[in-house]
Amino acid sequence: MSIQRQTLREQIETEIMERVGAGDFDMGSAINEVALSVELGVSRTPLREALISLTQQGVIDRESGKGFRWAPVSAADFAEMVQIIAALESLAVSLTAPEALAKIAPELLAQARGFTDSIGSSAELDLHDDQFHELLLSGNPNRRLAESIASMKLALRRYERLLVSSTDLIERSASEHEAIATALLAGDVPAAVAALSANWNNGTNRLIEVAEAKRPA
Amino acid sequence: MSIQRQTLREQIETEIMERVGAGDFDMGSAINEVALSVELGVSRTPLREALISLTQQGVIDRESGKGFRWAPVSAADFAEMVQIIAALESLAVSLTAPEALAKIAPELLAQARGFTDSIGSSAELDLHDDQFHELLLSGNPNRRLAESIASMKLALRRYERLLVSSTDLIERSASEHEAIATALLAGDVPAAVAALSANWNNGTNRLIEVAEAKRPA
DNA sequence: CCCCTTTCTCCTGTATACAGTATACTGCAT
DNA sequence: ATGCAGTATACTGTATACAGGAGAAAGGGG
């Protein structure tokens, strides 16, 4: 393995996204470029370039004379992104060769069944979920589609910390994944796509439940 | 109307996209930042920021130590983008309230019928096409989806100059639009979505035909 | 007492300067 | 003649410096 030669801008991007996922920033508030550059130990130039990059991904908002601002989070925003990702992943599965889907179906099923036992923390759940979807999309021939999905999922990480682990969530997620895998095993792609959409939309419901449980009126 | 206060970066972005649409740049070739900055009469900083922005939209590629490069164009790339846009626009129509669709259906039909007569140049065709799709998506409640579609369509402009006007293209496009509108008038949203996808996919075929006609073996 | 105006301060937007790296060219050795 | 090495050049990546505008605060007028 060759040593990683990453540009500073890329490192800043990933660092910012890590902190965003960890909830380090106050979403909706303005970004002070100099303060953030000092905090990260870099100059403003690569920082601004990273911020512009993240702006295109919807993590950051920008207003003409007022600079950058952390994009506000909301259940509606989450729901909007989930709708888009569900459609894009459905397209990806539909574009994948049926033989390729049949080939990965057994492993998908095994992953889904191994879900409940091996999961402890929230991070592990996310990891497992990512791996499942990654495998599911591995046969997609549309390169640009894969990029779009990855980009949109990155933006979703802002909501990671809200979707904390609970045994209930894990069991539901596992059963939904199993439904996708069994449909693919049977060669029923439309059913698999429907189950996939259901999985994503249930994610919206889960978030709303959690958000309301945290903020009692 | 207030005078437009646009940041230099935004002006550069639009200027570059105009030139890209006009075919001024050699797609696939490397970008010399200083040369381009001199040509545009700006400094490298806002230019680089514009290039980074366009990179996220797929118009430009970037390699770690080698800087920026115009993303190569290909029929496959065009087809990939069209697949994505078709899915996203389909989603947008599906998410729109049926009453809203019924409301705009007559105007859509009128626009589609007025197509053949009023069109002269290729630019006019594009404009009409844009207006039709804009109206079609006007009732979509998913803001982020609208942004994604707009961004992806911007990237499509690289192929504008290839899809030159021809009466054949205009007539086909008009009839496809009419199919969408009539389906919506009948309240049949799934049929409209199907017609919409067909419209986009035919666009792919049109491009391939044109490309092959231009480059005879 | 409140509102409007004016000034001042801070921050963004842009330009320029510097450093590091990739590539091309030239010269030497085989 | 060809291939390798060393150097030179040119371009990207990063830092810093400067200018202009937006927002806040203070002072004056109604």
Side-chain angles (χ1 to χ4, degrees):
Chain A
M1 150 184 166
S2 66
I3 60 171
Q4 59 171 4
R5 298 190 42 71
Q6 253 193 333
T7 185
L8 191 53
R9 166 172 77 247
E10 295 170 305
Q11 293 174 272
I12 294 174
E13 269 183 60
T14 59
E15 175 67 21
I16 287 179
M17 284 312 296
E18 298 246 333
R19 299 202 184 189
V20 163
D24 283 5
F25 300 119
D26 181 21
M27 291 303 174
S29 68
I31 298 174
N32 187 326
E33 294 179 14
V34 287
L36 188 54
S37 70
V38 167
E39 188 179 332
L40 296 176
V42 296
S43 93
R44 276 182 63 214
T45 306
L47 172 62
R48 275 178 64 87
E49 295 187 346
L51 292 177
I52 289 169
S53 206
L54 294 174
T55 296
Q56 295 298 110
Q57 306 191 19
V59 180
I60 290 173
D61 284 343
R62 160 180 127 280
E63 205 168 345
S64 194
K66 304 197 204 170
F68 300 95
R69 156 180 311 274
W70 301 110
V73 295
S74 71
D77 175 62
F78 182 81
E80 286 191 357
M81 280 201 285
V82 163
Q83 284 177 333
I84 298 173
I85 294 187
L88 293 180
E89 285 207 346
S90 295
L91 174 64
V93 171
S94 302
L95 292 176
T96 304
E99 315 84 56
L101 289 175
K103 198 174 178 186
I104 62 174
E107 193 175 342
L108 284 171
L109 189 58
Q111 274 198 20
R113 290 223 167 110
F115 234 52
T116 324
D117 315 322
S118 61
I119 304 286
S121 67
S122 165
E124 282 179 74
L125 174 62
D126 285 336
L127 183 65
H128 238 78
D129 201 76
D130 285 348
Q131 286 177 344
F132 181 89
H133 285 268
E134 193 181 337
L135 179 59
L136 180 63
L137 303 184
S138 60
N140 159 47
N142 188 325
R143 213 183 108 269
R144 201 177 273 267
L145 178 59
E147 278 177 24
S148 295
I149 292 173
S151 165
M152 186 97 9
K153 279 190 178 174
L154 202 67
L156 258 193
R157 289 186 56 181
R158 301 191 297 157
Y159 295 94
E160 256 182 17
R161 77 199 149 92
L162 292 177
L163 287 169
V164 290
S165 167
S166 92
T167 53
D168 179 44
L169 296 190
I170 292 174
E171 278 168 18
R172 278 203 279 169
S173 180
S175 75
E176 286 161 15
H177 283 187
E178 201 170 321
I180 297 171
T182 50
L184 286 180
L185 257 185
D188 190 350
V189 175
V193 167
L196 178 61
S197 290
N199 176 236
W200 276 109
N201 288 324
N202 286 336
T204 302
N205 297 334
R206 281 197 275 273
L207 178 89
I208 292 174
E209 284 171 25
V210 170
E212 287 184 349
K214 278 189 175 176
R215 294 181 199 170
Chain B
M1 152 180 168
S2 64
I3 60 169
Q4 59 173 359
R5 297 194 40 73
Q6 252 191 335
T7 184
L8 191 53
R9 167 172 75 249
E10 296 169 305
Q11 293 174 270
I12 293 174
E13 267 184 62
T14 58
E15 175 66 22
I16 288 179
M17 283 313 296
E18 299 246 333
R19 299 203 183 189
V20 164
D24 283 3
F25 299 119
D26 180 20
M27 292 302 174
S29 69
I31 299 175
N32 187 325
E33 295 180 12
V34 289
L36 187 54
S37 70
V38 167
E39 187 180 334
L40 296 175
V42 297
S43 93
R44 277 183 60 215
T45 307
L47 173 63
R48 274 178 65 85
E49 294 187 347
L51 292 178
I52 289 169
S53 206
L54 294 175
T55 296
Q56 294 298 110
Q57 305 190 19
V59 180
I60 290 173
D61 284 343
R62 160 182 125 286
E63 205 170 345
S64 195
K66 304 198 202 170
F68 300 95
R69 155 179 312 273
W70 301 110
V73 297
S74 72
D77 176 61
F78 182 82
E80 286 190 358
M81 280 201 284
V82 163
Q83 284 177 334
I84 298 173
I85 294 186
L88 292 180
E89 285 207 346
S90 295
L91 175 63
V93 171
S94 302
L95 292 176
T96 304
E99 314 86 55
L101 289 176
K103 198 174 178 185
I104 61 174
E107 193 174 343
L108 283 172
L109 189 57
Q111 275 199 19
R113 292 223 167 109
F115 233 52
T116 323
D117 314 322
S118 61
I119 304 285
S121 67
S122 165
E124 281 179 74
L125 174 62
D126 285 337
L127 182 65
H128 239 77
D129 202 77
D130 285 348
Q131 286 177 343
F132 182 88
H133 285 267
E134 193 181 338
L135 179 58
L136 181 62
L137 304 183
S138 60
N140 159 47
N142 189 326
R143 212 182 108 270
R144 201 177 273 268
L145 178 59
E147 279 177 23
S148 296
I149 292 173
S151 165
M152 186 94 16
K153 279 190 180 176
L154 202 67
L156 258 193
R157 291 187 53 181
R158 302 191 297 157
Y159 296 94
E160 255 181 20
R161 77 201 149 93
L162 292 177
L163 287 169
V164 290
S165 169
S166 92
T167 53
D168 180 44
L169 296 189
I170 292 173
E171 279 168 17
R172 278 203 280 168
S173 181
S175 74
E176 287 161 14
H177 283 186
E178 200 170 323
I180 297 172
T182 50
L184 286 180
L185 256 185
D188 190 350
V189 175
V193 168
L196 178 60
S197 290
N199 177 236
W200 277 109
N201 289 324
N202 286 336
T204 303
N205 298 333
R206 278 197 277 273
L207 178 87
I208 292 175
E209 283 171 27
V210 171
E212 287 183 352
K214 277 191 177 176
R215 294 182 200 171

